[in-house]
Amino acid sequence: MPAYIVIGAQWGDEGKGKIVDVLAEKMDLVLRFQGGANAGHTVLHGNTKYVTHLVPSGVISGCSMNIIGNGCVVCPLTLLEEMRILEKQGIAFSPQNFALSGSAHMVLPVHKYLDKCLNEKIGTTVRGIGPAYTDKVQRTGIRWETVSAGTFEAAYHEHLDLVEKVYAVIDKAELEELRRALPQLLETVEILKPYIRDIRPLLSRALSENKNILFEGAQGTFLDIDHGTYPFVTSSSTSIGGAFTGSGVFLDFDKRIGIVKSYTTRVGEGPFPTELFDETGERLRRNGNEYGATTGRSRRCGWLDLALLKRSCLINGFNYLVFSKISCLSGLGPLKVAVDYDAAGKAIYTELPGWEEDLEGCRDFNALPKNCQTYIRFVEDFLQVPIGLVSTGPDRNNVILRKALFSS
Ligand code: IMO
Ligand code: MG
C-alpha cells in the first residue's frame, strides 16, 4: 500500500499543486489534512489552469476519492463557490468522489471579519483561518457535523452570542450583518450536506484494500504553528505531524516528499534571512511570476536558504525532494545559497556559478547546463536527501525524473 505525502519545505508556494497533480493520477485517495482557503494550488493541464484552495487537487485528474480531513477549516460559501468554478471547468463532484470530514471546523463570516481586524501584524490571507482555529482550540467552534445533526442553526446563534460578549471590535451593526448571513449559509450547507462524512471508514477501507493514498499538504513548514517563524505563521500544523492529527490515521508514508523551490519566497510579514531587495529579487519575482494565487500579493523573493531547509528535512523526515522552478534562475549571474547564519542571524552564503540557458521544458538532467547540474547536486549533498524530480516549467510534462516517483 504505497502512501505518499507532499509537504512544502519553505514558506509555501513551492509548487505543490503541480506535483500533487502528477501523483494524483495514480492515486485512489487524496486527502487534505490541514489549512483552509489560505492555500492556492495551481495546476496546468495544457492551456487550462485550475486553482484549488480547499478541494484536494486530486479532483482535477479524476482521482476516485478526495477528502477534506478533520484538520482543515472550511467556509461553506467558499467551498461551494470553488466547486462551482471547478464544475464549470468540467470537474464533477459527487459523494462518491468527494467527502468532507464532519469533524472539520467551519470558517464563518465572523472569522473573516475578525481576521481583517487582527491581520495587520501578520499579513494574513484574510480567509478567517486564525480566528477559526482559535475557536476550535478554545472549544467554541462549529464542526461540520452540526449540519448532519440538524444543530447548525442553533450553534450559529449561540456562537454569535458568545462573539458579542467577547469581542469589543464587533459593533451592533456588524453583528446584525453577521446574523443576516445565516439564510445563505443554511442554504449552502444544505447543498454540501451529502458530502459530510465520518472519514475514518473511508480511510480504513482504503488501507485494507491496499489503495494508493496521497496526503496533500498546504502552506509550508515554516508557516507551521509550532515549527514555523512564530508568530508569523499560519494556525495549523503544516508539517508532517499535522497529517496524523488532521486525518485520524497513522500512515507509514513510503515517500515523504518535500517540495523545495530553487530560491525562496514568502508572503506576508516575518523573518526572511535571504531576502533580496535589489534588482535580482525583482528578476526572480518576474521570472517566477511570484504573485499570490490566493491574494494576488507580490511575494518577497530571495536566495535559496539551505540552513532553513536542513531544519525542514529534520522536522519532516523527507526521503524525496522535488526541486521546483529551476528555470527561473537562468540569467541571474552567480547564485548564492545560504549555508548557515552568523550570531546576529544574518545568512552566511556560498556562491555557485550561474547559467544563461533557458531551461523551460527541459526533460533530461544531462542536457542541463553543467553549472545547473552542480547547483542541484550541491543542494542534495548539503541536505543529504535525493532530489528525485526537477521541475522545469509549469506544465505537468516539464519535469526531469531522476528517481522513480512511484513505488511499485
Ligand atoms: P500555499 O498552500 C504562502 C501566509 C500568509 C501569512 C501567514 C498567515 O499556497 O502554499 P493565514 O491566512 O494562514 O492566517 O496567514 O501565512 N500563508 C501562505 N503563504 N502560501 C500559502 O499557501 C499560504 N497560506 C498562508 O501570507 O503570512
Ligand atoms: Mg499560495
Side-chain angles (χ1 to χ4, degrees), residues 1 202-211 213 249-251:
M1 185 275 319
L202 292 175
L203 284 163
S204 66
R205 191 173 340 126
L207 283 173
S208 65
E209 289 174 1
N210 249 1
K211 299 287 192 197
I213 297 176
V249 66
F250 171 77
L251 284 173

Side-chain angles (χ1 to χ4, degrees), residues 55-334:
V55 168
S57 305
V59 293
I60 296 163
S61 55
C63 175
S64 51
M65 179 46 89
N66 302 278
I67 299 177
I68 298 183
N70 57 276
C72 297
V73 288
V74 181
C75 168
L77 307 173
T78 311
L79 175 59
L80 188 61
E81 190 189 339
E82 181 172 329
M83 290 166 74
R84 294 285 189 249
I85 292 171
L86 290 167
E87 274 168 355
K88 278 204 189 102
Q89 293 187 288
I91 286 156
F93 288 93
S94 79
Q96 273 67 53
N97 75 349
F98 177 52
L100 164 61
S101 166
S103 307
H105 275 249
M106 276 197 197
V107 174
L108 295 164
V110 66
H111 296 128
K112 295 184 193 178
Y113 179 79
L114 288 171
D115 203 358
K116 225 183 312 174
C117 302
L118 308 169
N119 165 46
E120 223 160 292
K121 181 174 158 199
I122 312 288
T124 74
T125 58
V126 209
R127 296 297 189 270
I129 305 299
Y133 277 113
T134 301
D135 262 331
K136 170 178 173 172
V137 174
Q138 197 166 244
R139 296 153 296 177
T140 49
I142 301 180
R143 282 179 161 194
W144 273 86
E145 64 201 12
T146 57
V147 175
S148 318
T151 55
F152 170 66
E153 187 171 353
Y156 189 79
H157 287 302
E158 199 183 315
H159 183 250
L160 279 186
D161 290 345
L162 182 78
V163 162
E164 187 173 8
K165 277 195 220 134
V166 176
Y167 290 101
V169 291
I170 304 188
D171 60 21
K172 285 263 177 268
E174 188 58 45
L175 263 170
E176 281 315 305
E177 188 74 22
L178 292 167
R179 290 199 192 277
R180 275 199 295 274
L182 184 60
Q184 195 194 354
L185 280 165
L186 285 173
E187 203 178 298
T188 307
V189 297
E190 207 48 46
I191 299 172
L192 294 169
K193 199 169 169 179
Y195 300 103
I196 306 170
R197 303 266 278 276
D198 177 359
I199 62 169
R200 289 167 198 99
L202 292 175
L203 284 163
S204 66
R205 191 173 340 126
L207 283 173
S208 65
E209 289 174 1
N210 249 1
K211 299 287 192 197
N212 294 329
I213 297 176
L214 169 63
F215 275 38
E216 173 182 6
Q219 288 82 49
T221 299
F222 295 102
L223 290 173
D224 186 286
I225 185 74
D226 285 281
H227 306 296
T229 46
Y230 191 90
F232 303 100
V233 292
T234 189
S235 300
S236 64
S237 300
T238 60
S239 53
I240 198 159
F244 307 117
T245 50
S247 65
V249 66
F250 171 77
L251 284 173
D252 192 3
F253 295 104
D254 293 59
K255 285 219 169 64
R256 301 177 293 276
I257 305 171
I259 314 295
V260 177
K261 181 145 56 180
S262 50
Y263 48 97
T264 313
T265 63
R266 144 158 237 179
V267 202
E269 301 304 315
F272 183 174
T274 60
E275 184 167 12
L276 287 163
F277 300 95
D278 58 4
E279 175 55 24
T280 308
E282 199 43 60
R283 283 177 70 181
L284 276 174
R285 189 171 301 115
R286 262 201 317 271
N287 290 358
N289 191 26
E290 296 295 352
Y291 301 92
T294 301
T295 58
R297 288 180 290 176
S298 80
R299 297 178 184 140
R300 299 157 65 191
C301 296
W303 296 120
L304 188 67
D305 188 341
L306 290 178
L308 191 83
L309 283 165
K310 193 88 188 162
R311 231 170 56 212
S312 196
C313 293
L314 179 72
I315 294 167
N316 295 298
F318 293 137
N319 58 7
Y320 188 108
L321 296 177
V322 172
F323 208 41
S324 71
K325 298 187 98 164
I326 187 86
S327 50
C328 304
L329 294 177
S330 297
L332 287 187

